[in-house]
Amino acid sequence: MVVSTKRALEGAHASAHAMRQINPDVVAAYPITPQTAIVQTYSQYVADGEVDTEFIAVESEHAAMSACIGAAAAGGRVMTATAANGLALMWEELYIAASMRMPIVMSCVNRALSAPLNIHCDHSDSMGARDAGWIHIFSETGQEAYDNTIQAVRIAEHPDLLLPVMVMQDGFITGHAVELVEVADDASVQRFIGSYSPAHSLLDIDHPTTFGAWDLYDYYFEHKRQQTDALSKAMKVILEVGQEFGREFGRPYGAFEPYAMDDAEIAVIVLSSTAGTCRTVIRELRQKGLKVGLLKLRVFRPFPAAELAEALKGVKAVAVLDRSISFGSMQGSGPVFLELCAALYAAGSKTKAINYIYGLGGRDVLPVDVERVIHELKQVADSGEVTSLVSYLGLRE
Amino acid sequence: MPKPNASWKEANIAGLVLEPGSAAEYETGTWRVQRPVHDADKCTHCMICWVYCPDSSIIVKDGRWKEFDYFHCKGCGICASVCPVKVEAHQVTGKPGKVIQMTDEKK
Ligand code: SF4
Ligand code: SF4
């Protein structure tokens, strides 16, 4: 039986708490704002003997992910955490971890990438790594960061996948905000994640195995095909694990969370903490009779394209809020918007889609901003005309 | 060795190599554009070529030069370069030079 307690925790501490309960074999990490609270708290657990983890205090994030890959190849359950420029410094290893099929779980506390130097939230860090082959799961709250971290272990280690998983939460807004988080007892978390025994490991000296060997034009292509196949199987596993988590801990998870979508004629799609602001505004506008709904996207990689197109059936116009820019893309739109446009096109959908870039470098997004989005979205739905494909929220024009 | 020309469904995950020492089964001899040839009559069995060959492709038996391992020899020419013994007319090429000489690889 799961025994839960309510704790006042910062989002970053909720992630560290989940990591303590997971008790991985190896954590190799380097501190960077606003992820520092995770690494600092975890190293305290190690120093206090609360976990059995081998903690490797590395000299950079490049080394952190390298050590994680080595430890995972050696057969360990491995975790790390990073943000922003730290994630960027892992660039090379992100691809290697994914293509060597290392089920590493990493917290990413989303922060703007330099320059100019900024430590506050946007999604440009993890979005830059969106084609590296990782599974990307976004969290709205500290509770979700905790829940997603636990589920990520099961997802990553699933034998059909063996893929690394990034669990995101918004820097400062979620990472450093204290909220009530329901944490389970250690034994229940351990029971849920189970033990990990990889089919191949460097330390299995009875079955010597070479990892990451030279792979030329005669096999590389086949291995990439395997990799994309694993990601295409990931959604099924993510949904199964999300349902099982719900049965065990009372909070089920899907690829996205619909709110007021049943009879919605217009809809907003957003990631992470801004979903809370959107929900509040939508609740008020619903009372005024506006048929508006919300799809809070949780899983960005693999992208739930067909599922989102299905959820938007009957919706006349959708606004995607992006907290990063895909520079040089169609009208400089955001990555979620681009993916959604592709999904709608592939599904033959007639739903109009518009994009709002918001919150870069921690710029606050207020209810009045979301009201503007919904107001403009209503005009698109009524007229069937898109006058501005990409707009900016809260920007001084 | 993975099955030659395995499909993506058959290939080992992530290119894992599950047998130790399997590089021996990889035919690097196909990379060769020049082929070393040896003059058995003039060889002094000094083994300098054996020391320098980067691919262990000089086969020695009972302390004597025996043969090239053409399955692995990449034709780098180091053996021909380091061989200290000169010949007037090479047993295989008929040319003056050293005990080991490089010839065009006939495919
Ligand atoms: S050509 Fe190079 S690889 Fe071949 S036997 Fe001589 S030294 Fe070895
Ligand atoms: S270096 Fe020349 S002489 Fe010496 S063993 Fe090799 S082939 Fe014979």
Side-chain angles (χ1 to χ4, degrees):
Chain A
M1 217 200 55
V2 178
V3 184
S4 295
T5 47
K6 288 200 165 128
R7 300 262 193 105
L9 291 175
E10 293 179 13
H13 289 149
S15 293
H17 193 88
M19 286 172 72
R20 182 188 64 71
Q21 295 182 308
I22 292 162
N23 194 4
D25 297 306
V26 175
V27 170
Y30 191 86
I32 180 168
T33 301
Q35 155 268 29
T36 304
I38 297 179
V39 178
Q40 189 178 330
T41 306
Y42 201 78
S43 56
Q44 189 69 50
Y45 291 144
V46 175
D48 293 347
E50 289 193 50
V51 286
D52 310 308
T53 305
E54 184 73 36
F55 184 85
I56 311 176
V58 287
E59 73 275 19
S60 74
E61 286 84 356
H62 189 278
M65 188 47 68
S66 299
C68 285
I69 293 166
R77 180 175 265 165
V78 181
M79 298 183 79
T80 185
T82 195
N85 299 49
L87 183 72
L89 188 51
M90 287 179 179
W91 190 250
E92 180 187 9
E93 283 70 28
L94 292 177
Y95 280 78
I96 295 171
S99 48
M100 283 178 66
R101 311 289 293 276
M102 296 295 156
I104 297 161
V105 173
M106 172 162 72
S107 277
C108 174
V109 188
N110 283 127
R111 164 186 150 180
L113 279 175
S114 299
L117 182 60
N118 181 297
I119 57 167
H120 288 279
C121 177
D122 69 36
H123 300 157
S124 54
D125 51 0
S126 64
M127 282 302 174
R130 65 189 183 274
D131 289 341
W134 285 58
I135 290 169
H136 290 219
I137 300 177
F138 284 82
S139 320
E140 179 187 342
T141 60
Q143 181 72 64
E144 291 188 5
Y146 172 81
D147 294 346
N148 285 335
T149 303
I150 294 166
Q151 291 171 66
V153 175
R154 282 281 303 277
I155 296 163
E157 293 171 1
H158 192 285
D160 289 348
L161 309 192
L162 296 172
L163 290 169
V165 181
M166 247 183 248
V167 177
M168 268 59 79
Q169 62 181 294
D170 281 349
F172 290 92
I173 303 161
T174 309
H176 283 359
V178 177
E179 302 171 44
L180 216 51
V181 177
E182 193 171 307
V183 299
D185 58 294
D186 294 358
S188 295
V189 173
Q190 276 295 322
R191 193 170 57 244
F192 184 78
I193 61 170
S195 60
Y196 174 53
S197 47
H200 306 287
S201 101
L202 282 175
L203 293 184
D204 181 2
I205 53 171
D206 293 329
H207 303 94
T209 302
T210 305
F211 286 72
W214 188 233
D215 199 14
L216 293 178
Y217 34 73
D218 49 358
Y219 273 99
Y220 182 88
F221 201 170
E222 278 69 27
H223 292 131
K224 291 294 135 184
R225 180 68 183 85
Q226 289 181 339
Q227 210 183 323
T228 197
D229 182 60
L231 271 149
S232 72
K233 288 176 178 152
M235 189 55 77
K236 183 169 169 281
V237 174
I238 292 167
L239 297 179
E240 281 168 8
V241 171
Q243 287 307 308
E244 191 185 328
F245 188 87
R247 285 195 297 277
E248 286 295 314
F249 300 97
R251 294 177 298 278
Y253 284 84
F256 48 83
E257 188 185 288
Y259 174 75
M261 281 301 293
D262 283 349
D263 60 344
E265 290 175 355
I266 54 176
V268 175
I269 296 184
V270 71
L271 293 163
S272 295
S273 66
T274 310
T277 315
C278 292
R279 208 181 287 110
T280 305
V281 172
I282 287 169
R283 189 182 301 129
E284 283 169 11
L285 292 177
R286 273 274 169 184
Q287 280 164 6
K288 292 180 186 161
L290 203 63
K291 289 188 172 169
V292 53
L294 172 72
L295 291 171
K296 179 184 76 180
L297 188 57
R298 171 180 177 243
V299 180
F300 179 71
R301 282 285 183 265
F303 191 76
E307 295 89 339
L308 280 173
E310 180 65 31
L312 289 168
K313 262 200 179 142
V315 170
K316 290 180 188 156
V318 58
V320 178
L321 273 52
D322 263 297
R323 204 164 193 153
S324 63
I325 297 173
S326 177
F327 289 102
S329 69
M330 176 174 63
Q331 294 192 29
S333 46
V336 183
F337 180 68
L338 292 167
E339 295 281 343
L340 186 79
C341 285
L344 292 176
Y345 182 82
S349 169
K350 295 276 185 290
T351 304
K352 299 281 179 199
I354 53 174
N355 191 205
Y356 289 85
I357 306 294
Y358 77 99
L360 300 191
R363 178 66 51 89
D364 210 3
V365 59
L366 301 169
V368 65
D369 297 316
V370 180
E371 282 168 20
R372 177 194 142 193
V373 169
I374 295 170
H375 175 71
E376 292 176 357
L377 193 55
K378 180 86 171 69
Q379 287 178 342
V380 171
D382 290 347
S383 68
E385 299 282 327
V386 173
T387 49
S388 171
L389 192 70
V390 183
S391 312
Y392 304 88
L393 274 191
L395 176 79
R396 291 185 300 277
E397 298 283 358
Chain B
M1 276 285 271
K3 189 180 144 205
N5 300 318
S7 76
W8 68 269
K9 288 178 184 167
E10 300 165 321
N12 287 347
I13 184 171
L16 288 180
V17 183
L18 303 178
E19 303 83 17
S22 59
E25 291 165 50
Y26 196 81
E27 189 177 357
T28 50
T30 59
W31 302 8
R32 197 172 52 238
V33 292
Q34 286 216 303
R35 187 183 182 89
V37 290
H38 181 251
D39 188 331
D41 290 345
K42 309 282 173 16
C43 178
T44 62
H45 307 281
C46 69
M47 297 307 157
I48 287 179
C49 59
W50 176 81
V51 169
Y52 276 88
C53 173
D55 284 298
S56 305
S57 295
I58 307 284
I59 308 301
V60 173
K61 186 141 187 279
D62 301 328
R64 294 174 65 81
W65 200 103
K66 181 164 180 265
E67 61 190 349
F68 291 110
D69 168 8
Y70 286 120
F71 189 81
H72 294 113
C73 164
K74 293 173 186 160
C76 68
I78 290 173
C79 52
S81 175
V82 299
C83 175
V85 181
K86 295 206 167 66
V87 297
E88 297 274 322
H90 192 279
Q91 195 185 56
V92 180
T93 68
K95 292 180 186 160
K98 295 183 177 178
V99 168
I100 298 180
Q101 296 184 2
M102 301 306 287
T103 62
D104 282 347
E105 179 74 30
K106 298 206 173 41
K107 296 279 170 180

